Amino acid sequence: MSVVDGLPFGDDKKEYIVQTLDPILEEMVSDVLTEMPDVPLDYMIQWMNKRAGKAASLSEIVSVSQKNQMLKQELSQLQGSLEEASTAAAGGDEEQEEEEEDDDDCDEIPESFRKSEESMGKTRTSVSAEAYGTWNQKQAFTPPDHPKTDEQKQRLKQTLSKSFMFSTLEEKDMQLVIGAMKECKFEASAKVINEGDNGDFLFVIEKGALNCLKSVGGEEKVVKTVNEGDVFGELALLYNCPRAASVVAKDECICWQLDRESFNHIVKDAAVARRNKYDEFLRSVNLLSSLGDYERSQISDALVAETCKKGDTIVKQ
């Protein structure tokens, strides 16, 4: 799943978003969320002016997807060269044929490429920019189910209902998330997240408060305090960037941890499926039939489902 899934644009515009805009916007959003300026618009204008004044090297502006594409082209050329060499050497002795068969193993992903993928933190998707292709096939996923008592499930559901990221989930998706979450308890002053680390999970706070600290001039400065019902650590999952700040427990805390795969397959997939379902429904409403894709997508995002029982009053004069 990609950041452009569900967007009402042509393929050329979607490719431009993923390959050109997404890397710049990810960096800017990360800096904005780190600094949390009082006037975000002024900060972003200054950020863009500063960025425009720098001579960006090719390695800075080429996106991960572009690098992957370049690697694939190089591998394809190498494979073609090997096939030509194999044809030219046909009829040689058995030892030579065995060596050529060994060379055919180059069709597999190079070890250096595997390591580069691992170093990127198991890759993400964007609210997300996860790229699925020849080397990164999207696999069938079964979410983990950590045992919980009924009392724990009820507490966790109440906590998730306070979070904007989970409050709109349908009941079946909510139950999957609850099952996939793992309870974590932290003592006061315990460091939960280290700035600069790769992030493979987020936390939802049930009890307690934690300080978010950013290294400024060699000293750690508290830039934000998160409390009950808040989510932290989600930035690394959404944008596949390193942890923007360290998080330290202010007092004894109870948090619920959700891993990257469960977040991608349950929360983000549910959001895309919900938008597609609402979009299809809105297409069938005569009153809204004249709307374009963009306007309809805006309405889809704003819809809130209401469950009514037989006999309930929906509108009252």
Side-chain angles (χ1 to χ4, degrees), residues 55-310:
S57 67
L58 178 63
S59 61
E60 292 175 325
I61 62 174
V62 175
S63 66
V64 172
S65 61
Q66 288 174 305
K67 290 180 180 177
N68 287 345
Q69 187 62 34
M70 291 167 63
L71 284 171
K72 291 176 186 177
Q73 291 175 354
E74 291 176 5
L75 287 171
S76 178
Q77 293 172 358
L78 179 59
Q79 181 180 351
S81 299
L82 289 171
E83 290 175 351
E84 291 176 3
S86 177
T87 301
D93 57 32
E94 294 181 0
E95 180 180 354
Q96 185 176 1
E97 290 178 357
E98 290 176 358
E99 290 176 354
E100 289 173 353
E101 289 177 359
D102 291 340
D103 286 342
D104 286 343
D105 290 339
C106 289
D107 291 350
E108 299 295 326
I109 303 174
E111 186 64 23
S112 60
F113 188 83
R114 296 179 187 273
K115 291 180 179 178
S116 68
E117 285 190 318
E118 293 170 359
S119 68
M120 289 189 292
K122 299 182 180 178
T123 56
R124 50 116 205 244
T125 55
S126 167
V127 173
S128 163
E130 185 96 54
Y132 293 105
T134 306
W135 310 119
N136 185 21
Q137 298 293 333
K138 189 171 184 179
Q139 304 295 326
F141 176 73
T142 301
D145 189 5
H146 299 289
K148 299 176 183 67
T149 65
D150 291 339
E151 187 267 339
Q152 283 180 312
K153 291 179 181 179
Q154 185 61 31
R155 284 193 290 117
L156 181 52
K157 186 174 183 179
Q158 291 175 352
T159 302
L160 293 177
S161 66
K162 300 176 185 177
S163 169
F164 79 94
M165 192 172 292
F166 301 98
S167 59
T168 59
L169 287 176
E170 296 183 359
E171 182 61 25
K172 63 180 181 64
D173 295 318
M174 177 67 80
Q175 292 304 319
L176 287 176
V177 170
I178 290 174
M181 281 189 150
K182 181 171 67 173
E183 186 178 39
C184 298
K185 296 181 179 180
F186 301 105
E187 299 293 332
S189 301
K191 180 168 281 191
V192 182
I193 286 177
N194 287 305
E195 180 180 354
D197 284 356
N198 289 327
D200 291 322
F201 44 78
L202 59 77
F203 292 96
V204 179
I205 306 171
E206 178 185 345
K207 180 182 177 182
L210 302 95
N211 286 328
C212 302
L213 301 99
K214 181 75 176 174
S215 180
V216 180
E219 296 183 1
E220 289 192 324
K221 177 183 177 183
V222 177
V223 294
K224 184 181 180 182
T225 299
V226 287
N227 300 286
E228 294 179 10
D230 287 341
V231 178
F232 66 91
E234 78 283 3
L235 185 65
L237 272 62
L238 292 172
Y239 296 103
N240 196 33
C241 57
R243 297 294 193 186
S246 296
V247 180
V248 177
K250 194 174 181 181
D251 44 38
E252 290 188 1
C253 300
I254 298 177
C255 300
W256 294 91
Q257 176 183 300
L258 183 66
D259 65 275
R260 177 191 294 275
E261 275 198 297
S262 297
F263 176 77
N264 287 341
H265 286 84
I266 302 174
V267 181
K268 290 199 297 187
D269 282 5
V272 172
R274 183 171 61 250
R275 170 186 274 197
N276 291 340
K277 182 179 72 173
Y278 289 167
D279 183 81
E280 183 177 355
F281 165 69
L282 292 175
R283 288 176 184 271
S284 67
V285 179
N286 291 332
L287 181 65
L288 306 176
S289 60
S290 62
L291 293 178
D293 291 341
Y294 176 75
E295 290 84 0
R296 194 165 50 251
S297 69
Q298 294 294 95
I299 295 177
S300 296
D301 288 340
L303 289 179
V304 178
E306 294 282 350
T307 302
C308 302
K309 298 178 181 179
K310 183 177 181 179

Side-chain angles (χ1 to χ4, degrees), residues 14-37:
K14 290 181 179 180
E15 183 178 1
Y16 180 79
I17 291 172
V18 171
Q19 296 187 356
T20 305
L21 292 182
D22 196 40
I24 299 173
L25 293 177
E26 287 176 11
E27 184 179 349
M28 182 173 68
V29 169
S30 178
D31 288 346
V32 170
L33 292 179
T34 298
E35 300 298 332
M36 298 183 67

